């Protein structure tokens, strides 16, 4: 199933790339109105949202109803860990989307392999589930690391964050933050 | 008695209608996600000469516009710019249609999930006389197919009747019919709905308050829909009556019949709109020939007609008070009244093709897209049925919702390519049905197992 998802992500990438080229040819100055980075983010986010929603919505519906958690001997922390896991998964999908698209764009198999491997690892960790320390902890750490990696892939850096926080001129920050390859569309 | 009130009352009417029909271009949908869009948009320029409106060839004013806009289209410099403009507007229109369809579905699903009344079986419409309580599967299937045949033939008869009335200019009759049906929807169904909701939440309300609330709701609704009103209020009312209608369908159609009817309706829609002798197409063409807007109570329009903006800039400011419906849509109107006490029928149904409306103002181009209320209704029926009967609960509902939105997107895309009235039902309903059955039978057991062990893949 993980492999299927990654295949779908790849298919999405191909489709978006084509659309990007199409839009670029259509637009007046040869640049597409939406950069590949943004598309990567959006596609990752949508993967994440759908995945998260499908995972958690039945649980949410049940949590609104009468009942006791873990009455049959399961963990009483079921709901809250589900919530955290879903959050981690949504974020992870978003990050993986960005990294994946970037790796495909630059044809770096390493990035691809790491994304797929990371996905498999996370899914594998959830197999350990009632043992929450082993599954939830590493997953959250992995989310953080992947997030930092995606951030740097998208062109961000510590300096950018500082600049952003010190409320400097926005356009500059955005240039450095989002694209090292493309000049961003004019305001 | 068609109410052309909104159109015949103001002196700008003729301008409204004519300029509204002067859609020089329709907004192609820029699905940024679709790689094919690029080539299609290129072809769309070749299609630009085609009138946005089925079967209407550029004549009179439109002719002038068309040739005027035809020439620049050929120049590549302007071409790209127009493409980009239309792409930008096109995306806006997709979103503008997503929002009301989503709202309608949310209302229907929320009601189905909370108010028990709409999932109880309390009898059936007389249009679906065969019961589904039969012991054998074959019998049940046969009954549902028969029900569908009866329902579809009723719809066909009603539509043809409506088209004939329209052709022979029996406007008063149509007008009266529409008013009667919207009266029923706005008052009777709202009363029942409100009653059930209050019962569910155990809220007591006295009759005078109830009367006041329903009277105001209904009266404002009638005015908004049939006459003039703020666009958003009108859109809200149309969404509400579509939701009410969909709830009635969900309640009174037996299960298998509902699915078969959904399938059959989308096939019918496809044929009625695209075949040259299809009733809906004839309706649209007749309306266009006469330069009249199609019935106001049956179409949801996402933008306003800033018509006379050409000559009188100040009327653009008055735009908001004149939402007009353009002769782009149809009305397959259907009167039926499902009440448990049977008899009286009058329910309005108008599954309809969606069509672009382009308002061509010299100063500002405000383009809107129109979608028939019947489409809203059937989309909501699909999602509501999924919510009501699927054992996978929310997963299935969500999957159907996403499927319908995807279908809508694709339909709008095709609209951009073909630039004529298109049936909005087939693609969405097909996707919705596929997703419903596959999610319910394949995905649900999988997700349930995953969730019970808290596995995340």
């Amino acid at each position: 199933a993980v492999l299927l998802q990654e295949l779908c992500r790849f298919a999405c990438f191909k489709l978006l790339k084509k659309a990007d080229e199409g839009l670029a040819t259509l637009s007046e100055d040869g640049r597409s109105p939406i950069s590949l980075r943004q598309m990567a983010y959006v596609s990752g986010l949508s993967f994440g949202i759908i995945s998260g929603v499908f995972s958690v919505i039945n649980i949410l519906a049940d949590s609104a109803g009468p009942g006791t958690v873990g009455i049959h001997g399961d963990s009483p922390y079921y709901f809250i860990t589900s919530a955290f896991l879903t959050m981690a998964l949504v974020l992870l999908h978003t990050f993986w989307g960005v990294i994946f698209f970037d790796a495909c764009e630059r044809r770096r198999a390493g990035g691809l392999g790491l994304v797929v491997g990371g996905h498999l690892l996370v899914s594998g960790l959830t197999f350990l589930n009632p043992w929450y320390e082993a599954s939830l902890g590493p997953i959250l750490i992995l989310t953080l690391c992947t997030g930092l990696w995606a951030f740097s892939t998208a062109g961000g850096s510590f300096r950018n964050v500082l600049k952003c926080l010190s409320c400097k001129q926005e356009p500059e920050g955005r240039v450095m933050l989002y694209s090292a390859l493309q000049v961003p569309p004019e305001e | 008695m068609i109410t052309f009130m909104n159109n015949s009352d103001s002196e700008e009417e003729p301008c409204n209608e004519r300029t509204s029909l002067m859609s020089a271009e329709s907004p192609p949908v820029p699905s940024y996600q679709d790689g094919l869009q690029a080539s299609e948009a290129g072809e769309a320029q070749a299609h630009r000469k085609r009138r946005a409106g089925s079967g209407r060839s550029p004549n009179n004013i439109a002719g002038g516009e068309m040739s005027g806009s035809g020439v620049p289209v050929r120049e590549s410099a302007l071409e790209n710019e127009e493409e980009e403009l239309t792409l930008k507007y096109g995306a806006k229109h997709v979103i503008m249609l997503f929002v009301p369809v989503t709202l309608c579905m949310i209302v229907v699903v929320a009601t189905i999930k909370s108010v028990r009344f709409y999932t109880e079986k309390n009898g059936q419409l007389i249009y679906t006389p065969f019961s589904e309580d039969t012991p054998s599967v074959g019998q049940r299937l046969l009954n549902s197919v028969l029900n569908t045949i009866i329902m579809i033939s009723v719809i066909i008869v009603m539509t043809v009747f409506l088209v004939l009335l329209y052709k022979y200019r029996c406007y008063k009759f149509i007008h009266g019919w529409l008013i009667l049906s919207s009266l029923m929807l706005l008052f009777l169904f709202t009363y029942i709905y409100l009653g059930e909701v209050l019962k569910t939440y155990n809220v007591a309300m006295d009759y005078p308050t109830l009367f006041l609330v329903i009277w105001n709701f209904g009266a404002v609704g009638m005015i908004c829909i049939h006459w003039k009103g703020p666009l958003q209020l009108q859109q809200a009312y149309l969404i509400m009556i579509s939701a009410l209608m969909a709830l009635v369908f969900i309640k009174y159609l037996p299960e298998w019949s509902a699915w078969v009817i959904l399938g059959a309706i989308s096939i019918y829609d496809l044929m009625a709109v695209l075949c040259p002798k299809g009733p809906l197409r004839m309706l649209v063409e007749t309306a266009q020939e006469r330069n009249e807007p199609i019935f106001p109570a049956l179409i949801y329009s996402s933008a306003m007609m800033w018509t006379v903006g050409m000559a009188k800039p100040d009327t653009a400011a008055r735009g908001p008070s004149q939402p007009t419906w353009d002769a782009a849509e149809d009305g397959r109107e259907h009167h039926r009244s499902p009440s448990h006490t049977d008899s009286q029928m009058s329910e309005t149904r108008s599954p309809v093709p969606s069509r672009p409306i382009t308002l061509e103002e010299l100063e500002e181009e405000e383009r809107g897209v129109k979608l028939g209320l019947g489409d809203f209704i059937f989309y909501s029926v699909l999602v509501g049925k999924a919510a009501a009967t699927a054992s996978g609960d929310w997963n299935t509902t969500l999957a159907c919702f996403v499927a319908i939105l995807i279908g809508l997107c694709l339909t709008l895309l095709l609209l951009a390519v073909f630039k004529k009235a298109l049936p909005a039902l087939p693609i969405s309903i097909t996707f919705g049905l596929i997703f419903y059955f596959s999610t319910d039978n394949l995905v649900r057991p999988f997700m349930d197992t995953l969730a019970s062990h808290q596995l995340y893949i």
Side-chain angles (χ1 to χ4, degrees):
Chain A
V2 170
L3 296 173
L4 208 61
Q5 286 185 19
E6 298 301 327
L7 271 176
C8 286
R9 210 194 293 273
F10 186 66
C12 250
F13 169 73
K14 281 273 171 238
L15 204 60
L16 288 179
K17 193 97 201 302
K18 260 197 174 168
D20 195 33
E21 285 161 15
L23 284 173
T25 52
L26 279 181
S27 77
E28 17 187 55
D29 39 9
R31 280 184 288 108
S32 72
I34 178 171
S35 79
L36 200 62
R37 293 277 162 86
Q38 289 171 311
M39 282 200 268
Y41 171 68
V42 168
S43 100
L45 188 64
S46 49
F47 259 82
I49 289 180
I50 292 288
S51 155
V53 162
F54 262 66
S55 310
V56 93
I57 198 146
N58 276 331
I59 299 180
L60 278 179
D62 286 337
S63 72
T68 316
V69 189
I71 198 168
H72 287 296
D74 299 315
S75 159
Y77 300 116
Y78 185 78
F79 283 151
I80 191 123
T81 48
S82 298
F84 275 113
L85 274 176
T86 313
M87 174 195 80
L89 212 60
V90 171
L91 290 172
L92 274 174
H93 270 292
T94 316
F95 301 146
W96 284 332
V98 173
I99 299 174
F100 190 91
F101 274 48
D102 188 61
C104 282
E105 182 77 22
R106 304 194 209 181
R107 309 222 176 278
R108 282 170 34 192
L112 274 185
L114 275 178
V115 166
V116 178
H119 197 168
L120 283 168
L121 183 63
V122 167
S123 300
L125 280 176
T126 57
F127 275 107
L128 298 174
N129 246 337
W131 187 19
Y132 289 130
E133 297 80 11
S135 71
L136 198 54
I139 288 182
L140 289 177
I141 297 176
L142 208 63
T143 311
L144 206 58
C145 298
T146 323
L148 290 173
W149 182 14
F151 185 63
S152 68
T153 313
S157 72
F158 192 54
R159 214 179 306 148
N160 285 339
V161 177
L162 284 184
K163 260 201 186 147
C164 185
L165 287 177
S166 67
C167 297
K168 282 217 163 166
Q169 269 298 341
E170 270 251 334
E172 275 177 5
R174 209 179 300 162
V175 168
M176 293 175 62
L177 201 62
Y178 282 112
S179 170
L181 300 172
Q182 255 186 7
V183 180
E186 281 117 18
E187 302 303 320
Chain B
M1 290 183 253
I2 287 195
T3 185
F4 280 140
M5 285 203 277
N6 55 333
N7 294 314
S8 43
D9 283 357
S10 70
E11 57 278 22
E12 297 114 25
E13 275 338 306
C15 286
N16 285 357
E17 283 135 4
R18 250 178 267 128
T19 50
S20 67
L21 290 172
M22 260 171 41
S23 29
E25 29 193 277
S26 66
V29 174
S31 76
Y32 291 123
Q33 319 286 327
D34 197 335
L36 300 174
Q37 176 59 24
S39 48
E40 264 155 46
E43 285 159 34
Q45 294 181 13
H47 288 290
R48 235 168 251 257
K49 279 292 203 178
R50 285 217 349 246
R51 289 301 302 105
S54 61
R56 181 159 187 196
S57 49
N59 50 13
N60 50 33
I61 311 157
E65 266 289 315
M66 262 339 268
S67 53
S69 64
V71 171
V73 162
R74 303 213 182 275
E75 302 179 9
S76 52
L78 283 172
E79 241 174 46
N80 280 339
E81 187 177 306
E82 277 187 32
E83 274 301 329
E84 199 155 295
L85 263 177
T86 48
L87 284 183
K88 253 190 343 190
Y89 280 118
K92 209 163 67 163
H93 293 313
V94 177
I95 306 294
M96 286 203 284
L97 275 188
F98 271 10
V99 173
V101 171
T102 312
L103 276 177
C104 194
M105 289 197 246
I106 288 179
V107 169
V108 170
V109 170
T111 312
I112 293 269
K113 288 287 186 188
S114 53
V115 178
R116 284 287 132 224
F117 174 72
Y118 287 103
T119 38
E120 296 160 5
K121 280 206 59 73
N122 266 341
Q124 295 180 195
L125 296 175
I126 68 163
Y127 297 105
T128 52
F130 296 94
S131 154
E132 285 197 6
D133 279 333
T134 54
S136 76
V137 171
Q139 182 73 14
R140 188 171 186 185
L141 195 60
L142 182 68
N143 280 353
S144 54
V145 170
L146 287 174
N147 278 341
T148 310
I149 293 178
I150 295 179
M151 182 79 119
I152 299 281
S153 33
V154 170
I155 291 176
I156 295 181
V157 163
M158 291 298 213
T159 312
V160 169
F161 183 49
L162 183 72
V163 172
L164 283 177
L165 283 179
Y166 191 63
K167 249 183 152 38
Y168 293 116
R169 302 183 186 258
C170 309
Y171 293 145
K172 286 188 179 299
F173 191 86
I174 300 182
H175 186 51
W177 190 6
L178 277 178
I179 292 219
L180 201 63
S181 70
S182 27
L183 260 175
M184 228 197 72
L185 268 177
L186 281 172
F187 287 100
L188 182 65
F189 289 176
T190 312
Y191 170 67
I192 295 175
Y193 178 78
L194 202 57
E196 291 306 323
V197 168
L198 290 175
K199 260 189 240 171
T200 307
Y201 290 107
N202 219 2
V203 173
M205 190 186 262
D206 51 316
Y207 274 116
T209 315
L210 188 71
F211 175 72
L212 199 67
V213 167
I214 292 192
W215 171 252
N216 279 321
F217 180 80
V220 176
M222 288 300 290
I223 295 178
C224 253
I225 297 176
H226 289 280
W227 195 46
K228 309 182 193 193
L231 181 70
Q232 299 202 312
L233 196 58
Q234 182 187 59
Q235 290 174 335
Y237 268 103
L238 290 174
I239 293 177
M240 280 192 270
I241 64 177
S242 311
L244 282 174
M245 198 68 246
L247 283 170
V248 163
F249 271 126
I250 294 174
K251 180 173 170 67
Y252 287 110
L253 286 180
E255 305 207 1
W256 290 20
S257 303
W259 298 113
V260 182
I261 285 179
L262 276 173
I265 275 275
S266 43
I267 298 178
Y268 167 68
D269 201 27
L270 192 67
M271 295 195 325
V273 175
L274 295 179
C275 292
K277 278 300 171 190
L280 294 183
R281 186 169 174 158
M282 285 175 41
L283 188 68
V284 168
E285 286 174 6
T286 319
Q288 284 187 322
E289 278 162 30
R290 297 185 195 165
N291 264 343
E292 287 163 355
I294 306 198
F295 325 110
L298 304 174
I299 297 171
Y300 176 93
S301 95
S302 61
M304 270 173 306
M305 301 288 250
W306 298 88
T307 45
V308 199
M310 304 232 172
K312 310 172 195 169
D314 52 317
T315 49
R318 283 208 290 136
S321 64
Q322 296 199 23
T324 24
W325 289 267
D326 182 74
E329 271 287 71
D330 101 357
R332 186 167 24 168
E333 225 202 317
H334 210 108
H335 272 278
R336 240 172 310 159
S337 98
S339 48
H340 353 202
T341 57
D342 71 274
S343 59
Q344 253 317 351
M345 321 279 161
S346 55
E347 135 203 314
T348 321
R349 207 176 57 69
S350 46
V352 150
S354 71
R355 183 89 76 96
I357 284 298
T358 26
L359 288 30
E360 204 76 309
E361 261 196 14
L362 291 177
E363 298 94 24
E364 184 179 326
E365 290 177 356
E366 184 69 52
R367 298 183 178 115
V369 184
K370 293 195 177 165
L371 190 60
L373 285 195
D375 297 328
F376 276 87
I377 293 175
F378 282 104
Y379 292 161
S380 311
V381 167
L382 187 95
V383 178
K385 267 280 180 214
T389 62
S391 37
D393 269 354
W394 291 96
N395 283 344
T396 321
T397 313
L398 274 174
C400 287
F401 169 69
V402 171
I404 287 183
L405 286 187
I406 294 177
L408 192 60
C409 224
L410 283 177
T411 310
L412 287 174
L413 185 68
L414 284 181
L415 198 60
V417 171
F418 288 113
K419 296 199 199 331
K420 53 185 232 170
L422 284 182
L425 280 182
I427 303 182
S428 290
I429 301 266
T430 314
F431 277 2
L433 287 175
I434 295 177
F435 271 59
Y436 171 76
F437 286 112
S438 59
T439 311
D440 201 31
N441 297 323
L442 299 175
V443 177
R444 182 189 51 84
F446 183 55
M447 293 302 297
D448 280 348
T449 322
L450 284 185
S452 65
H453 296 290
Q454 241 185 347
L455 300 174
Y456 284 82
I457 53 155

